[in-house]
Structures are given as structure tokens and as C-alpha cells.
Amino acid sequence: MDSIRITGGNELHGVIPISGAKNAALPLMIAALLTDETLTLSNVPRLRDVAQLSHILSNHGVDYAVNGKRNGQHALAGQTISLTAREIVDTTAPYELVSKMRASFWVIGPMVARMHEARVSLPGGCAIGTRPVDFFIEGLTALGAEIEIEGGYVVVRAPGGLKGARVEFPKVSVGATHTIMMAATLADGETEIVNAAREPEVVDLAKCLRAMGAQIEGEGTSVIRIQGVKRLHGAHHAVLPDRIETGTYAMAVAMTGGDVLLQGARGDLLDTALETLRQTGAQITETAEGIKVYRNGNGIQPVDVTTEPFPGFPTDLQAQFMALMTMAGGSSRITETIFENRFMHVQELARLGAQIHVDGHTATVDGVSTLRGAPVMATDLRASVSLVIAGLAAKGETTVSRVYHLDRGFERLEDKLTHCGANIQRISA
Ligand code: EPZ
């Protein structure tokens, strides 16, 4: 298995192009199931999760084409893909595929909306917690679907089609909002989603669905209204920039010191995280080209954070921020409120010399002046990248194993960092 070897201590200077957002690309690809015409998506990141989802969608009968590069296109530009679900040949999403990527469960919404039936494997637990699907089941039931759990599968039928309804989530869920919004586009009548997720990726999906002919309003607020239509058509949509990749590299610069332009990044997608970084002492300016992050020789100030749904501090940046806080000049408290088990990076950061004490959902981080390189590994994507950030700032050599986690969500991570002066290589086993 590949690993990443980092010799820490270099500042980062230069330009990092920000890729399209993984967590927008995935639901956008799934939206292709709603129409028999072609959905073309540009700025799609080249990631393992995207490849895995294309495989899952092919199983349902979706034709997937990656368009070639155009003249004058930047070598690092995201890919343009075309998805055509002319005919859905199989309404079953099998366990072998769904268990590899949780977001593939979301096909249940478009499939039942268009085919009036679906059989989708329960995704199972994952490294960051149990992650149930009760909101999806309650939401689809409210839209008139009949649901049974059979042999580990959610079997959903809506013989006369889905009917618009009021769906109120007990807690904000990104995936349940994506799924019910997609399902409601083809339902009969109006659906109102209350306590909807306000994440930028939900807004991006709503924009794409509207370009496909859906009638949606209120995305980006906690009430989304969808007026069902008879059919959707093809469209072209560009995936928005990845706010988590943006925040990750911003935290890397805040930790190592240096001066980097995060090209194509949009500050409005991560205001809270950028404001938190400013409080740690990093200077952040937004320009027409992207976001500039700068930290000179000054120390890192400790700052407390609590993860929250958007527009709060994102859970997907919690591990990276904890890495930064391990070298702050004092103590900080980091509270995770979204997932029950998202502190697996703590023990690995401790291997680099970090001082962290976990009590329930809160980690207290006592900053140290030096981290020292060590072999580490992680069990999820964001935890893995937090170890990369810490390794960039640590003295000596850090080896991060289980790199396949990073490949799920960070496009050409080592190339982007090498271009800014990091000493980082992938070692093929
Ligand atoms: C999305 O996951 C993201 N994944 C996650 O990013 C992200 O951490 C998460 O939203 C929160 O922002 C993708 O977009 C592909 P949720 P999702 O439903 O939709 C509970 C990454 O690293 N819940 O918003 O699966 C759930 O257990 C990934 O890129 C229920 O109880 O998350 C959690 O506590 C990791 N019942 C909370 O809601 C349900 O039916 C929020 O989860 C659904 C969710």
C-alpha cells in the first residue's frame, strides 16, 4: 500500500489551485439519474470517490464519459464529465458498492422519484460513527413511499409516484437534504423541507437541478420549497470550489508559515473557518484570483472551536484545525458536535508529540513548541490530511500510511504541496 513521506520544517510559498468540491460533485453526479438526457458537469475533481460513484452509477445504466482536454485548458483544470441515464436498467444498489462509499445511498431519492421503486443497501457504520439513515426513510415515507427493510436493504416503492409533502428533519443532515430535494423534483405537488442543510453543496445541487428544469426556492436557508415537475432535462453545470480543500491548505500555511495563494477559492464558502484562522494569527485576504494566506514568524494563537452545520465551523476541518492547535502558544478546546467518533486523529497526533486530552466530545489541546516526525496512519480522509499538515510542520520525517483515504478526497495533494516548497513524496509499496 502506498504511503506519503514528509520531511517537515519547510514554509509553504506559491500558488495552490483549488479543485472542484468532492461533496458537491457526488450529489450532482447522482442527480443525473433524474433525467434521460445528458447532464454535463465541469470542474469535477479527479478523486477515488468520483471514480467509485461513476462505477456505481454505471451499474444502474448510466453512461459515463470523461471529455478530453480542450486547447488552452490549464493542465490542472478539473475534468468535464457527461452522464446519461437514458434508461435505468437496475434499481438495486448492492451492498458491495454502497458499503464502499456512503454517499451512494443517496441514489435512493432520484431512483424512487423516476422509477417508483428502489432497493438500496443500508450503508453500515463508518469510521466516524454509526451514521443512521432514519431521516431518509422518514422523509421518503412523508412523500408517500412505502418502505421495508429486507435483508440489509431498504426497499422503497411508490406505485403511483411520490407526492409532495412537508418534511421536517429533527437535525440538520446534508445527505438527507440532498436526497429529499432530488426526490421532490419529480413528485406530484409541493414539498417543503424544514430544518434543511444550508451547506454550499446543497445550494450547488439546487442550482444544477434548476438548470435541469426543477422548481426550487429557498436553498441556502433552512426552508427549501420544491414544486414537482413531470420531467427534468439535460443541463451543464460547473462544480463549485472545494471549501474543505481550501480550509485544509489555509491551515497548512498557518501552521508551517509562508505565503500561498489558494487559486479559485471562494471565501464566502468558509467565512467561519477563515475568521477562526485570522484569530490564530494568520493573515487572510480575498482577491479576485482566490484567497491569500500568510503567516510570518509570529506564533500561533490558541482558539476554541465547536463544529456546527453551515455556516458554523465545519466538522470536515476539525482534524486539520486540531493539527494547527497542537503548536499554538497555549491551550484550546475543540468540540465536535456533528459526529460521535471523530477524534481518531488524536492518538496519531500524539505520536508526533502533540498533547491532547479528550473528554467526551471535547478535546483540550495544549500547544507544544515542536512536533517530531513519526510513522502514523488514519482511518478517514480528514484525519489523514491532518497528519499530513502536522508532518509538514514537524521536525524530521513523518510517514503517513493508508494513503487511499487521502486519494478519496484530495486531488494531487503531494504535487500541490511540492509546488509550494514542501518536501513530500508518495512511496509506492
Ligand atoms: C456529509 O455527510 C458529508 N459527506 C460529510 O463529509 C460531512 O462531514 C457531513 O455532511 C457533515 O457536514 C458528503 O457530502 C459526501 P449528515 P452526511 O447527514 O450527509 C446524523 C468528508 O470527509 N444523521 O449531514 O452523511 C448523522 O449521523 C465527509 O468529506 C442521522 O442521525 O452527514 C450525523 O450525526 C465525512 N440520521 C448528522 O446527522 C440520518 O438519517 C449529520 O450528518 C442522517 C444523518
Side-chain angles (χ1 to χ4, degrees), residues 22-23 26 102-103 106 128 130-136 171-176 178 199 243 315-316 338-339 342 380-382:
K22 166 182 84 90
N23 288 350
L26 300 179
R102 204 188 140 77
W106 304 347
I128 59 178
T130 47
R131 302 181 81 182
V133 292
D134 48 338
F135 304 164
F136 297 74
K171 180 173 169 185
V172 172
S173 163
V174 174
H178 283 317
E199 269 64 5
R243 64 194 167 102
T315 173
D316 290 347
I338 310 291
F339 291 110
R342 216 177 190 181
D380 93 284
L381 163 64
R382 312 302 177 186

Side-chain angles (χ1 to χ4, degrees), residues 107-122:
V107 299
I108 198 166
M111 212 129 62
V112 69
R114 180 165 158 196
M115 304 300 291
H116 302 177
E117 61 166 45
R119 191 170 160 269
V120 180
S121 169
L122 283 162

Side-chain angles (χ1 to χ4, degrees), residues 51-317:
Q52 175 69 24
L53 182 59
S54 68
H55 182 53
I56 291 167
L57 292 175
S58 308
N59 196 53
H60 296 300
V62 177
D63 284 326
Y64 179 83
V66 180
N67 301 359
K69 274 203 188 313
R70 299 284 169 270
N71 254 344
Q73 198 174 25
H74 193 280
L76 304 179
Q79 54 190 351
T80 298
I81 61 174
S82 300
L83 301 123
T84 314
R86 195 158 322 285
E87 206 185 324
I88 292 184
V89 296
D90 192 345
T91 54
T92 296
Y95 176 64
E96 309 81 78
L97 298 179
V98 178
S99 59
K100 286 194 184 133
M101 191 180 49
R102 204 188 140 77
S104 56
F105 183 80
W106 304 347
V107 299
I108 198 166
M111 212 129 62
V112 69
R114 180 165 158 196
M115 304 300 291
H116 302 177
E117 61 166 45
R119 191 170 160 269
V120 180
S121 169
L122 283 162
C126 83
I128 59 178
T130 47
R131 302 181 81 182
V133 292
D134 48 338
F135 304 164
F136 297 74
I137 292 177
E138 284 157 25
L140 290 172
T141 306
L143 296 186
E146 295 154 16
I147 299 188
E148 281 171 275
I149 312 288
E150 282 172 16
Y153 280 75
V154 180
V155 181
V156 43
R157 292 185 191 88
L162 295 174
K163 311 248 176 306
R166 183 175 190 277
V167 175
E168 180 167 355
F169 295 125
K171 180 173 169 185
V172 172
S173 163
V174 174
T177 304
H178 283 317
T179 302
I180 299 302
M181 184 164 73
M182 285 192 274
T185 58
L186 293 179
D188 182 18
E190 185 177 288
T191 297
E192 185 180 53
I193 306 178
V194 180
N195 201 19
R198 292 184 280 164
E199 269 64 5
E201 293 75 22
V202 170
V203 175
D204 209 37
L205 176 63
K207 274 189 186 157
C208 176
L209 291 171
R210 210 159 27 232
M212 293 166 73
Q215 291 189 20
I216 302 180
E217 57 180 42
E219 73 276 12
T221 75
S222 38
V223 180
I224 302 177
R225 283 200 184 81
I226 304 123
Q227 193 66 48
V229 294
K230 287 265 177 293
R231 62 183 300 272
L232 297 182
H233 51 72
H236 175 261
H237 180 82
V239 179
L240 92 172
D242 196 318
R243 64 194 167 102
I244 305 303
E245 188 193 31
T246 304
T248 299
Y249 290 124
M251 286 174 197
V253 179
M255 191 159 185
T256 60
D259 189 357
V260 168
L261 170 69
L262 303 171
Q263 195 175 44
R266 267 176 50 194
D268 61 312
L269 304 180
L270 71 163
D271 278 333
T272 306
L274 293 181
E275 188 45 42
T276 309
L277 272 181
R278 285 190 182 100
Q279 291 169 21
T280 71
Q283 287 174 38
I284 294 169
T285 45
E286 290 176 43
T287 72
E289 280 180 286
I291 298 175
K292 277 194 167 161
V293 186
Y294 167 76
R295 189 173 70 81
N296 61 18
N298 294 342
I300 302 165
Q301 299 304 312
V303 181
D304 295 344
V305 301
T306 298
T307 62
E308 278 166 10
F310 191 85
F313 189 95
T315 173
D316 290 347
L317 285 174

